[in-house]
């Protein structure tokens, strides 16, 4: 009954009044002394069209939801951060995209997973971060497999390995080799998968 009443009152408000009320509620709830859950702050920040508050609270809400294994909620919060937030730089946006891609994979959102990884790869290449770009490219194999695009998944792994060719082995190599092993196992190339 409370929720029905809330919806009835909120839907009767004019847009400017609703915006003002959400801004006032957000300001009151954002006080550190209140310890308001970040997801509640995000709700009011979106309704108040407060980009700075969205940027501050949506990633926190997504991480909190992930810690509770509430992956659909985490995905919703990462979508809000990516769509309405303003990452401070390309590195932070890549972090958001990679986190969203992980959650999208857990939720079976293959198209969104692939799109996020492609954007992360592009940002990493622009920033000159070869290892991060290669890992983002290799990670695209996962959603491509789910989308039944096995040849494209294999190509993603090979392109990532090609990007890292000649560089001394490091963390990105380990991630890509792990993904390659999985891909070869799916292709029933067991000896190469084990190697």
């Amino acid at each position: 009954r409370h929720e029905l009443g809330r919806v009835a009152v909120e839907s009767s408000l004019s847009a400017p009044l609703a915006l003002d009320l959400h801004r006032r509620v957000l300001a009151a709830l954002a006080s550190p002394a209140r310890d308001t859950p970040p997801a509640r702050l995000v709700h009011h920040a979106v309704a108040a069209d407060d980009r700075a508050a969205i940027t501050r609270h949506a990633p926190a809400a997504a991480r909190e939801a992930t810690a509770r294994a509430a992956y659909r909620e985490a995905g919703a919060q990462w979508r809000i951060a990516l769509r309405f937030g303003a990452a401070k730089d390309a590195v932070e946006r890549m972090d958001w995209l990679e986190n969203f891609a992980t959650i999208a994979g857990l939720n079976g959102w293959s198209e969104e997973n692939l799109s996020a990884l492609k954007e992360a790869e592009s940002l990493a290449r622009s920033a000159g971060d070869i290892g991060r770009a290669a890992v983002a490219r290799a990670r695209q194999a996962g959603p491509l497999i789910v989308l039944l695009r096995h040849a494209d998944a294999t190509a993603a792994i090979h392109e990532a390995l090609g990007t890292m060719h000649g560089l001394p082995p490091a963390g990105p190599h380990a991630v890509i080799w792990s993904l390659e092993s999985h891909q070869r196992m799916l292709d029933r190339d067991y000896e190469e998968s084990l190697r």
Side-chain angles (χ1 to χ4, degrees):
R1 289 166 59 188
H2 173 80
E3 179 64 8
L4 289 173
R6 187 194 67 76
V7 169
V9 170
E10 189 174 27
S11 63
S12 71
L13 301 174
S14 69
L17 179 57
L19 188 74
D20 178 60
L21 289 173
H22 279 290
R23 284 182 178 155
R24 289 165 56 192
V25 170
L26 176 62
L29 293 177
S31 165
R34 294 190 71 104
D35 196 28
T36 306
R40 188 168 179 202
L41 296 172
V42 171
H43 167 76
H44 292 291
V46 170
D49 195 25
D50 187 332
R51 192 170 191 188
I54 291 168
T55 301
R56 189 167 47 259
H57 301 300
R63 290 184 183 101
E64 187 177 274
T66 300
R68 293 190 328 266
Y71 300 131
R72 293 183 75 77
E73 173 66 16
Q77 295 296 343
W78 281 123
R79 280 187 188 125
I80 290 169
L82 288 163
R83 183 170 176 198
F84 301 113
K88 68 177 179 266
D89 55 26
V91 173
E92 183 172 62
R93 181 146 180 101
M94 280 187 277
D95 290 341
W96 291 4
L97 287 162
E98 290 164 353
N99 277 290
F100 175 68
T102 298
I103 295 300
L106 291 170
N107 286 320
W109 304 336
S110 299
E111 293 286 358
E112 288 181 276
N113 185 357
L114 185 59
S115 178
L117 290 168
K118 284 181 176 180
E119 185 180 343
E121 178 191 4
S122 177
L123 287 171
R125 286 190 190 285
S126 296
D129 190 336
I130 300 301
R132 199 165 187 176
V135 168
R137 179 64 178 132
R139 285 184 64 195
Q140 292 169 36
L144 287 166
I145 290 166
V146 175
L147 293 167
L148 303 179
R149 295 170 53 187
H150 288 265
D152 291 337
T154 299
I157 298 288
H158 289 304
E159 286 173 24
L161 287 168
T163 299
M164 297 300 292
H165 183 72
L167 297 176
H173 285 90
V175 174
I176 297 165
W177 288 331
S178 171
L179 294 167
E180 181 190 22
S181 176
H182 183 254
Q183 178 66 25
R184 289 186 179 270
M185 180 272 298
L186 292 175
D187 290 339
R188 292 172 174 64
D189 187 357
Y190 300 125
E191 283 188 26
E192 278 300 298
S193 177
L194 288 168
R195 186 184 68 77

